[in-house]
């Protein structure tokens, strides 16, 4: 007698074998009657050329290719040819204007926030990328709000640029000077009072050598990124806010009055007839320097062999925010005829892959707030382990101050001569601010009447 269970098992196995055979035939590209099924290759995308430009000074084609990781872009987007156009004039606005005058199309434009805002406003290059951000799944929440917020009424509710890198200053300190005079190293989270207490201990003359306890590399960085988020322009009047906003007095007090109270410092200014700069730090004159984080170039090479450390920049007593960020923005030009392809490139520039490359290999502060990406800062360079991550992110970033196209015009009145005049006691802080406001307003009116 046959076993019915055995018979059912054999039938099941046979059916499974037939199904497997049919599946194998299909997966091997076989169609009906055993003929091979032809699959048409995807049609190649039409090759387009995009022009990328910036008003940033000192950038060569090689610099721009390095920032964009040109080799990676060529592999990912073989149908897009990028032409990198560096700044061709000392004035950023004139550099971009020259391209428009000659009929050179601009597809992608990037620059530091102040120059970016001024350029797209005056040359009408702003393009709202809100729809493109949704298509390419670029989430604004990936950015620190301080970096993303462009507080400009002309573009309210629109996204005319997104950050690709950030700039946040740190306090560099020369370990050899601190060791020489037995002063403990500065720490993250110091206030301005803490800093001046340390600086006064180090500001001295020994033999023919003068040591300065603290200095700014560039005053415009301090003003642009001030931790009080103080704007240059009074939104009610459209003119300078130097006397109407009391925070400007606080900013000038720490940067140009208290800093230079030590007679040794005043003597140095009178003798040298200039303000200290980063080279004075590297040459062993300045003990602590307020300066940007350098992402490459000659300055980075000099730091490799220098005995230094970094901590967060000082904050005002009673506050807990660090400086404002100073992001570099990128956007699609309103004049571009290839907006989709331009957005393909931009979507890669803000990707985790590219942001990691910038942080790790180029020492550029990432624009996105992914902490794992942030921790990659300088990890692929000789500056690894210097404490930049801890210094930059010790304090939360301050909100961006309201920005206008007249900011740089107003800022320009704080030149070296006027600061030295205040620092050496030739004028007082109230007169300094009043005269600065008068000069700024005159310049602003000239720009408005052009």
């Amino acid at each position: 007698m046959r076993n019915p269970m055995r018979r059912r098992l054999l039938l099941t196995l046979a059916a499974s074998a037939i199904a497997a055979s049919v599946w194998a035939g299909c997966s091997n590209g076989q169609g009906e009657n055993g003929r091979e099924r032809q699959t048409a290759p995807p049609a190649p995308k039409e090759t387009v050329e995009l022009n990328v430009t910036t008003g940033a000074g000192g950038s060569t084609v090689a610099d721009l290719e390095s920032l964009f990781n040109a080799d990676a872009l060529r592999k990912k987007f073989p149908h897009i040819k990028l032409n990198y156009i560096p700044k061709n004039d000392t004035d950023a606005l004139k550099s971009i204007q020259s391209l428009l005058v000659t009929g050179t199309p601009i597809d992608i434009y990037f620059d530091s926030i102040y120059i970016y805002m001024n350029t797209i406003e005056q040359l009408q290059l702003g393009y709202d990328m809100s729809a493109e951000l949704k298509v390419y799944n670029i989430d604004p929440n990936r950015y620190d709000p301080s970096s993303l917020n462009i507080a400009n009424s002309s573009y309210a509710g629109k996204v005319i640029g997104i950050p690709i890198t950030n700039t946040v200053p740190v306090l560099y300190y020369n370990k050899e000077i601190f060791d020489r005079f037995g002063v403990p190293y500065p720490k993250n989270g110091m206030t301005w009072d803490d800093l001046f207490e340390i600086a006064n201990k180090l500001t001295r003359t020994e033999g023919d050598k003068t040591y300065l306890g603290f200095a700014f590399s560039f005053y415009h960085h301090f003003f642009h990124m001030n931790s009080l988020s103080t704007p240059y322009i009074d939104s009610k009047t459209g003119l300078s806010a130097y006397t109407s906003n009391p925070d400007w007095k606080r900013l000038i007090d720490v940067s140009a009055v208290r800093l230079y109270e030590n007679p040794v410092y005043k003597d140095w200014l009178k003798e040298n007839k200039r303000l200290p700069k980063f080279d004075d730090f590297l040459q062993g004159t300045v003990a602590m320097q307020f300066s940007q984080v350098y992402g490459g170039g000659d300055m980075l090479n000099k730091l490799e062999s220098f005995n230094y450390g970094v901590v967060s920049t000082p904050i005002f007593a009673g506050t807990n925010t660090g400086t404002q960020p100073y992001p570099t923005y990128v956007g699609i030009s309103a004049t571009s005829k290839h907006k989709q392809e331009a957005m393909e490139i931009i979507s890669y520039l803000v990707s985790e892959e590219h942001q990691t490359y910038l942080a790790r290999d180029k020492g550029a502060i990432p624009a996105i707030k992914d902490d794992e990406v942030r921790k990659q800062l300088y990890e692929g360079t000789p500056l690894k382990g210097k404490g930049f991550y801890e210094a930059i992110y010790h304090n939360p970033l301050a909100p961006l101050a309201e920005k206008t196209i007249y900011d740089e015009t107003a800022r320009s009145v704080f030149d070296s001569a006027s600061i030295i005049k205040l620092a050496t006691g030739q004028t007082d802080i109230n007169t300094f601010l009043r005269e600065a406001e008068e000069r700024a307003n005159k310049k602003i009116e000239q720009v408005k009447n052009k």
Side-chain angles (χ1 to χ4, degrees), residues 115-170:
I115 299 175
Y116 185 89
M117 292 296 300
N118 185 52
T119 301
I120 64 170
E121 177 82 9
Q122 295 206 38
L123 301 183
Q124 299 181 338
L125 295 178
Y127 172 75
D128 183 11
M129 300 188 296
S130 300
E132 283 80 1
L133 295 187
K134 293 178 181 177
V135 171
Y136 287 88
N137 296 316
I138 298 176
D139 184 2
N141 292 321
R142 297 176 66 214
Y143 296 96
D144 188 295
S146 296
S147 300
L148 187 61
N149 174 37
I150 301 182
N152 186 295
S153 57
S154 298
Y155 293 98
K158 298 180 181 180
V159 180
I160 45 79
I162 54 177
I164 51 171
T165 63
N166 225 334
T167 297
V168 179
V170 294

Side-chain angles (χ1 to χ4, degrees), residues 270-281:
K270 292 175 182 177
E271 180 181 347
N272 290 273
K273 296 180 174 58
R274 66 174 176 84
L275 297 170
K277 50 190 178 182
F278 202 83
D279 280 344
D280 294 305
F281 173 76

Side-chain angles (χ1 to χ4, degrees), residues 54-58 86-96 98 111 115:
T54 181
K87 182 180 180 181
N88 61 25
D89 192 285
T90 54
D91 183 275
L93 188 66
K94 290 180 180 178
S95 176
I96 307 303
S98 70
D111 223 318
I115 299 175

Side-chain angles (χ1 to χ4, degrees), residues 177-445:
I177 295 178
F178 277 82
D179 293 343
R180 178 184 180 90
F181 299 120
V183 176
Y185 296 154
K187 299 178 180 180
N188 289 318
M190 293 191 307
T191 65
W192 285 104
D193 293 335
D194 298 329
L195 179 132
F196 289 129
E197 182 179 348
I198 297 172
N200 282 328
K201 293 177 182 178
L202 297 168
T203 302
R204 62 179 74 189
T205 298
E206 290 205 346
D208 59 355
K209 175 73 172 179
T210 295
Y211 297 92
L212 305 178
F214 171 70
F216 292 94
S217 286
F218 302 102
Y219 266 88
H220 69 271
H221 284 164
F222 172 68
F223 295 136
H224 281 342
M225 295 183 274
N226 76 80
S227 63
L228 300 177
S229 301
T230 309
Y232 290 103
I233 304 300
D234 186 325
S235 60
K236 295 180 180 178
T237 65
L239 298 172
S240 166
Y242 295 151
T243 62
S244 61
N245 191 322
D247 282 343
W248 274 107
K249 192 169 185 177
R250 298 174 70 188
L251 294 170
I252 297 300
D253 180 56
V254 297
S255 63
V257 178
R258 291 182 63 188
L259 171 59
Y260 302 115
E261 285 177 342
N262 193 307
V264 173
Y265 219 137
K266 291 183 187 294
D267 291 342
W268 189 92
L269 291 174
K270 292 175 182 177
E271 180 181 347
N272 290 273
K273 296 180 174 58
R274 66 174 176 84
L275 297 170
K277 50 190 178 182
F278 202 83
D279 280 344
D280 294 305
F281 173 76
L282 293 172
Q283 292 166 7
T285 296
V286 174
M288 296 179 289
Q289 191 91 18
F290 182 111
S291 188
Q292 69 187 75
V293 171
Y294 290 97
D298 184 55
M299 195 63 72
L300 198 62
N301 296 330
K302 291 178 180 179
L303 285 171
E304 286 182 19
S305 58
F306 196 73
N307 187 16
Y308 73 99
V310 295
V311 295
S312 59
T313 53
I315 61 175
F316 285 90
T319 69
N320 67 348
T321 54
T323 64
Q324 299 171 64
Y326 192 58
T328 292
Y329 273 74
V330 65
I332 301 172
S333 167
T335 62
S336 175
K337 296 180 180 179
H338 304 288
K339 292 183 174 65
Q340 179 180 333
E341 289 82 4
M343 195 64 210
E344 287 185 68
I345 298 299
I346 290 174
S347 68
Y348 174 72
L349 297 179
V350 299
S351 69
E352 184 176 321
E353 176 184 335
H354 188 67
Q355 291 287 301
T356 300
Y357 157 79
L358 289 173
R360 182 189 62 232
D361 300 333
K362 299 301 172 184
I365 300 174
I368 60 177
K369 60 181 181 182
D370 186 313
D371 206 44
E372 292 305 311
V373 175
R374 287 174 168 179
K375 288 179 179 177
Q376 290 297 311
L377 187 63
Y378 284 128
E379 286 297 295
T381 76
L383 301 188
K384 174 182 178 179
K386 282 289 186 179
F388 282 95
Y389 169 81
E390 293 79 7
I392 291 168
Y393 299 110
H394 182 81
N395 296 309
L397 296 176
L400 278 181
E402 184 176 359
K403 310 224 174 293
T404 76
I405 63 171
Y406 306 113
D407 289 355
E408 186 57 31
T409 301
R411 198 281 313 163
S412 66
V413 301
F414 292 138
D415 55 18
S416 296
S418 64
I419 292 173
I420 290 174
K421 184 178 178 182
L422 175 61
T424 53
Q426 299 175 59
T427 188
D428 62 87
I429 191 169
N430 292 324
T431 303
F432 173 85
L433 285 169
R434 187 185 70 253
E435 292 178 348
E437 179 162 281
E438 290 171 356
R439 294 197 304 275
N441 288 345
K442 185 176 181 180
K443 287 190 170 187
I444 290 169
E445 292 297 341

Side-chain angles (χ1 to χ4, degrees), residues 37-103:
R37 184 171 56 199
Q38 298 295 323
T39 303
K45 293 183 178 181
E46 182 182 351
T47 300
V48 299
E49 290 193 24
L50 300 181
N51 289 337
V52 180
T53 192
T54 181
S59 296
T60 63
V61 171
D63 293 331
L64 301 184
E65 288 184 334
S66 179
L67 175 68
F68 276 53
N69 199 358
D71 289 338
L73 283 175
R74 278 189 284 267
K75 292 177 182 177
K76 288 183 176 293
F77 308 104
H79 62 293
I80 300 176
K81 181 179 184 296
L82 292 177
N83 301 316
Y84 299 93
I85 306 175
K87 182 180 180 181
N88 61 25
D89 192 285
T90 54
D91 183 275
L93 188 66
K94 290 180 180 178
S95 176
I96 307 303
Q97 279 178 320
S98 70
L99 299 178
L100 298 175
V101 169
T102 58

